[in-house]
Amino acid sequence: MIDLRSDTVTRPTAQMWEAMRAAPLGDDVLGDEPTVQALELKVASLLGQDAALFVPSGTMANQLAIRTVCEGGDEILAHRESHIIHYETGSPAALSGCMISPLDGLGGVFDADAVRGAIRHRDQHAPLSRMLVVENTCNRGGGTVWSVEQFASVATAARVGGLHLHIDGARLMNACVALGVGPRDFTSHADSVSLCFSKGLGAPVGSALAGSHACIARARRFRKMFGGAMRQSGLLAAAAIYALDHHVARLAEDHANARTLAAGIAEVAGLTLEGTAEKIPTNMVFFRVKSALGSAQAFCDRLREAGVLALALSSDRVRMVTHLDVSTNDISHARAAIASTAKSSKAGA
Ligand SMILES: *Cc1c(COP(=O)(O)O)cnc(C)c1O
């Protein structure tokens, strides 16, 4: 099976297993997990923040930022397509009592005017505008990358408006590799940052939240409250350290594979690629299935029989994601499987 459902599906490489096996372990809740502490220092330095906290998932990293910064009744500004709105089970409301004001903009990107326009007047009637979340890359936006300039202008609007700026950087390293910049080009403007090790970086489990000393100390308490404090988690942190050391630059291969995959999809009658193949920003490819071929889910079911897994996101939209466990050769096979599945779907319809 060529699994293009998500970049979360990767298995540890032999060398990553070796790093996990060799890691010195302790008890992180008792404060003596050397490998977790090494990872937290490494992430803080990579992102130019005071401190970092290792957590089980990207959702927990985002929700700890929200719980740490916001009070019940506060409002968070985020793009209408953002992960915190669509894929975190309503947790800003459930865990922190917050509402979200959705911002508009193409591909998951908005401008400073959108931020300024959404900040409320301080008045007893209005929720308090407390936080801005910028997702980079933006998943539902198409794996889109923020330009450093646009990000900086939005960051300025947030600062002037008194908002805490949180980067949902689940795939921040994909954005950095795509642009050829370092993470600090973005994170130096931010008050907190989440980063996933279990996406394109290829670790099996784990994310981090980085921020000021005060923010991370508070987040550490809420991590315990949310049930995310772990014990010999150095086992997982070792995989994350290995991923940061060895799997960042290679993200460029995933991006090249995504463009090759997209070029194949663009040629298939009955499928409509979103965007242009040469301009696929990172490792995600989205396309629409025309009704003559049946629903997106039916198309994915038939594609599965041809040995390729993809995700149907709606009645006609499909997502494919390239990653560490998909080779250039796999992409050629996937292209052939997609073309033959579309052809037979048409014949069958
Ligand atoms: C995957 C992802 C997350 C976190 O997801 P988990 O499955 O909880 O690790 C957060 N934000 C974005 C943009 C993501 O793609």
Side-chain angles (χ1 to χ4, degrees):
M1 277 290 175
I2 300 169
D3 195 344
L4 299 171
R5 290 172 302 168
S6 176
D7 48 6
T8 57
V9 301
T10 57
R11 305 295 200 274
T13 62
Q15 298 94 313
M16 185 181 276
W17 274 118
E18 210 37 64
M20 293 167 75
R21 214 185 312 275
L25 302 177
D27 186 315
D28 190 47
V29 184
L30 299 182
D32 60 12
E33 220 313 330
T35 307
V36 168
Q37 288 172 4
L39 172 66
E40 290 176 344
L41 285 175
K42 189 177 179 73
V43 170
S45 140
L46 175 75
L47 302 179
Q49 301 284 327
D50 290 349
L53 187 68
F54 184 51
V55 296
S57 70
T59 298
M60 190 177 286
N62 286 337
Q63 295 310 319
L64 285 176
I66 291 170
R67 186 65 186 81
T68 296
V69 170
C70 301
E71 288 176 23
D74 285 353
E75 191 167 52
I76 299 163
L77 279 52
H79 193 279
R80 123 176 1 270
E81 294 296 342
S82 62
H83 196 275
I84 63 161
I85 292 181
H86 290 274
Y87 299 129
E88 302 192 8
T89 337
S91 49
L95 302 178
S96 303
C98 293
M99 47 191 288
I100 303 185
S101 174
L103 306 181
D104 291 311
L106 276 182
V109 175
F110 46 83
D111 59 19
D113 282 341
V115 175
R116 284 190 285 263
I119 295 175
R120 306 213 186 227
H121 291 294
R122 299 231 164 179
D123 175 286
Q124 64 174 338
H125 295 86
L128 195 65
S129 306
R130 180 82 71 172
M131 178 188 260
L132 174 68
V133 176
V134 176
E135 187 175 314
N136 192 18
T137 66
C138 181
N139 182 338
R140 280 173 67 94
T144 42
V145 176
W146 281 72
S147 77
V148 172
E149 297 71 30
Q150 181 137 356
F151 181 84
S153 78
V154 158
T156 301
R159 188 168 352 96
V160 170
L163 302 179
H164 174 108
L165 173 54
H166 174 70
I167 300 180
D168 179 351
R171 296 186 181 81
L172 183 64
M173 301 318 294
N174 291 81
C176 292
V177 167
L179 293 179
V181 303
R184 290 177 184 213
D185 285 316
F186 295 107
T187 59
S188 63
H189 302 284
D191 301 298
S192 59
V193 189
S194 60
L195 179 70
C196 285
F197 308 116
S198 60
K199 301 269 171 84
L201 296 179
V205 179
S207 290
L209 175 69
S212 67
H213 286 300
C215 170
I216 295 304
R218 227 170 116 71
R220 190 178 293 279
R221 288 190 58 79
F222 288 118
R223 181 183 67 169
K224 190 80 179 88
M225 189 185 287
F226 290 177
M230 299 179 285
R231 302 294 177 168
Q232 283 74 52
S233 38
L235 196 66
L236 301 173
I241 291 172
Y242 184 88
L244 286 173
D245 286 342
H246 298 95
H247 291 168
V248 174
R250 65 149 308 283
L251 291 170
E253 296 170 32
D254 298 343
H255 300 174
N257 280 338
R259 289 190 294 269
T260 308
L261 179 66
I265 292 165
E267 289 169 0
V268 176
L271 304 181
T272 311
L273 179 71
E274 288 183 16
T276 320
E278 314 86 72
K279 290 194 181 145
I280 294 297
T282 51
N283 66 334
M284 300 185 149
V285 178
F286 293 79
F287 61 89
R288 304 270 171 180
V289 181
K290 290 196 180 140
S291 54
L293 301 195
S295 70
Q297 187 57 56
F299 185 79
C300 290
D301 291 344
R302 285 192 296 273
L303 197 55
R304 182 190 194 103
E305 286 161 27
V308 176
L309 299 179
L311 270 192
L313 296 185
S314 72
S315 60
D316 70 339
R317 192 178 190 216
V318 176
R319 188 186 80 172
M320 292 183 165
V321 187
T322 58
H323 53 76
L324 184 61
D325 289 358
V326 175
S327 67
T328 303
N329 199 27
D330 290 334
I331 293 297
S332 307
H333 285 296
R335 280 176 59 150
I338 293 163
S340 67
T341 301
K343 210 168 192 176
S344 63
S345 307
K346 219 168 217 172

